Amino acid sequence: MPRPRLLAPLLALPLACSTGGEATSATTTGFESGPPTSGGPGPDSFGTNSSTELPTTDDPGTTSTTTTNPSTSDANTTTDASTTANTTANTTGTPAACGDGVIDRGEFCDDGNQSDDDACLADCHPGTALLVLAGLASKPALALLYDPELGWTSEPTTMALASAELEATPTGALAAIRRTSAVPAEDDELWFSRWSPGDAALFPMFTKVGAFGIASDGPSLAAVADTVTLAFLGTDNKHYSALFSGDAWAPFAKIPAGKLDIQAFGPSAAVVIPGQAETYAVYTGDDARIYYSSKPAPDAAWVASQAAPPAGVVGSPVGLVDPQADLLVAYVRKADGKLAVIKLLTPQNAWTKEALVHPDAITGSAISLARLADGRHALAWRGFDNDGIYLALAADFDVWDAPQTVELPPSATTPPLLVPGATGADLEILYTAGGKLRHARLQGDTLAPPSDVPGVSGAATLAATRVQLAPGP
């Protein structure tokens, strides 16, 4: 039985380790119906299970404090995941040693080092996991943890939420929610909860964000160093932010429009994006143009907003800052619903030309963008005229591979959410279908079939982040 482990934060940890060969691509491409197939083995440093598929989440479970083993889809099978993952057992006759780069019996991974700060711990157990908040309409939300070796664990929280955001920090993880309540006066209040290594529960309690933290849209979070910036759209249709530092929230600040004395306003909440030292705020104005502001340091003031080149967008843009400190923004064009990207080259302070993801990449709902550890970008969306979930990858921001179908479920879906992969995968894909929480993992070019997360029903809102696991006592 694998020993319990604690959770620790994750900030841009590398997932790629030494590999013994490229994964075999068997992913469904284009927009064909039916689930994608699962391909061949992944990186040797993380091992594979006996069927050569990625760990999936097919096991049944219960709603509260449920743990399932991802190594098997048979609820009656008791095979240990650490044994199942052993595909490169040491046959030299020398004693097994964690950190030698070889998957030995009882090891889930082996990246050739003795570090506890990366994707494979010094005891050859998973180093990273997936932390999730699932909103269940008027019911208390569920907090969930996906350990690639041990499977899913879930715990009910004390709050119902309309929307939420999760962000990993150097001391744990921070959750911010926009509350929903049977008491009208409590609707749309902003609450937060912290998680720290060693906590017995994931998010046992929530506390108000400031005295007047009430939002009509958002929240969004961005962690830089040991601070977290929060952004939201106030009930007055104006953009606000607040900085969490030293265990407390600073007073709310105004995100400025084109002039510092004018406050930026809706229609949708600003998305805050962490950089290496700076933080960006990106939002859609009432003229359907993208605007952006920034602050050079966590405690600095926001600069006046500027317009980005796209002439018309719908919904909220999403973005990330790449290792070159350039700002990449993805959005949905208002004219035709096509997905496009554009990059702000920071040394030149100039925008690149717009690049379309694909002629058939069209949506009318929210999109999600992530950067993989191998440098690729990933973009996911829900179909424009169906409930299909689609994914596109790009080695360069302006040259995208043909989109692939994650799933064409028979029930209504929510827009997908992308998170950089926990141990054993490059990317985690989350969405709801018919109220069920669905989860798929991408490893290399191989997309494992999505499956239901046990014990979740009625889910309508999702937030997730990747966190670092720490060795148990």
Side-chain angles (χ1 to χ4, degrees):
M1 175 67 68
R3 58 189 174 81
R5 295 185 298 279
L6 304 178
L7 289 174
L10 172 72
L11 288 178
L13 292 174
L15 190 66
C17 300
S18 59
T19 64
E22 296 295 327
T24 301
S25 176
T27 304
T28 302
T29 58
F31 295 94
E32 301 173 7
S33 61
T37 58
S38 178
D44 287 347
S45 58
F46 298 117
T48 55
N49 62 23
S50 57
S51 65
T52 73
E53 294 182 348
L54 295 178
T56 59
T57 55
D58 296 329
D59 295 330
T62 57
T63 302
S64 178
T65 316
T66 301
T67 301
T68 62
N69 191 326
S71 64
T72 174
S73 60
D74 186 351
N76 297 318
T77 301
T78 58
T79 303
D80 188 350
S82 61
T83 301
T84 309
N86 175 23
T87 62
T88 58
N90 191 333
T91 59
T92 64
T94 58
C98 181
D100 61 5
V102 178
I103 305 292
D104 298 304
R105 184 171 298 278
E107 295 180 349
F108 184 90
C109 57
D110 195 322
D111 58 3
N113 65 52
Q114 288 287 309
S115 173
D116 282 326
D117 297 322
D118 55 18
C120 187
L121 298 176
D123 60 2
C124 286
H125 288 293
T128 54
L130 182 63
L131 189 62
V132 180
L133 274 176
L136 309 179
S138 60
K139 298 180 181 178
L142 278 179
L144 303 105
L145 176 71
Y146 175 69
D147 181 315
E149 182 181 18
L150 304 179
W152 286 95
T153 299
S154 65
E155 299 173 358
T157 69
T158 58
M159 304 287 285
L161 58 89
S163 59
E165 180 87 327
L166 274 171
E167 186 79 348
T169 70
T171 58
L174 189 143
I177 69 167
R178 179 163 58 92
R179 184 181 186 183
T180 184
S181 172
V183 180
E186 296 175 341
D187 269 342
D188 297 323
E189 290 178 339
L190 290 173
W191 291 66
F192 79 101
S193 180
R194 299 180 66 193
W195 171 89
S196 298
D199 286 353
L202 296 176
F203 293 105
M205 61 180 296
F206 285 83
T207 306
K208 283 186 179 181
V209 178
F212 303 102
I214 302 177
S216 61
D217 195 12
S220 177
L221 297 174
V224 174
D226 58 353
T227 70
V228 179
T229 295
L230 163 74
F232 63 95
L233 190 70
T235 54
D236 58 359
N237 203 40
K238 295 179 179 179
H239 295 296
Y240 293 88
S241 73
L243 182 69
F244 186 80
S245 178
D247 299 328
W249 290 97
F252 294 123
K254 301 175 181 178
I255 299 178
K259 295 182 179 180
L260 292 176
D261 59 343
I262 300 176
Q263 188 173 357
F265 50 90
S268 59
V271 175
V272 283
I273 303 166
Q276 297 162 8
E278 70 284 356
T279 304
Y280 288 94
V282 181
Y283 59 93
T284 303
D286 63 351
D287 57 357
R289 296 198 65 181
I290 294 175
Y291 291 86
Y292 66 101
S293 179
S294 63
K295 50 180 182 173
D299 57 353
W302 293 99
V303 303
S305 294
Q306 301 180 61
V313 304
V314 62
S316 295
V318 294
L320 57 82
V321 174
D322 66 18
Q324 290 73 43
D326 296 331
L327 173 65
L328 178 64
V329 177
Y331 51 92
V332 180
R333 302 201 310 190
K334 185 177 182 180
D336 51 18
K338 293 183 178 181
L339 278 67
V341 295
I342 195 168
K343 181 187 279 192
L344 176 63
L345 304 175
T346 51
Q348 300 90 338
N349 193 30
W351 288 92
T352 63
K353 293 182 179 180
E354 176 184 80
L356 284 181
V357 172
H358 190 272
D360 295 329
I362 303 173
T363 188
S365 57
I367 60 178
S368 185
L369 176 70
R371 185 178 184 275
L372 283 60
D374 61 11
R376 290 181 295 170
H377 297 103
L379 190 63
W381 64 96
R382 183 175 62 184
F384 179 78
D385 55 1
N386 62 32
D387 282 290
I389 302 298
Y390 303 102
L391 173 72
L393 302 170
D396 297 313
F397 85 96
D398 56 350
V399 181
W400 291 80
D401 296 337
Q404 52 191 288
T405 303
V406 178
E407 185 179 24
L408 282 169
S411 51
T413 59
T414 58
L417 179 65
L418 299 181
V419 180
T423 301
D426 293 307
L427 184 70
E428 313 286 351
I429 307 169
L430 296 164
Y431 55 96
T432 73
K436 298 289 187 179
L437 177 55
R438 301 285 283 169
H439 176 219
R441 311 191 80 199
L442 176 77
Q443 185 180 40
D445 293 325
T446 302
L447 184 61
S451 56
D452 288 342
V453 173
V456 181
S457 60
T461 302
L462 296 177
T465 191
R466 185 179 63 179
V467 292
Q468 178 72 27
L469 292 166

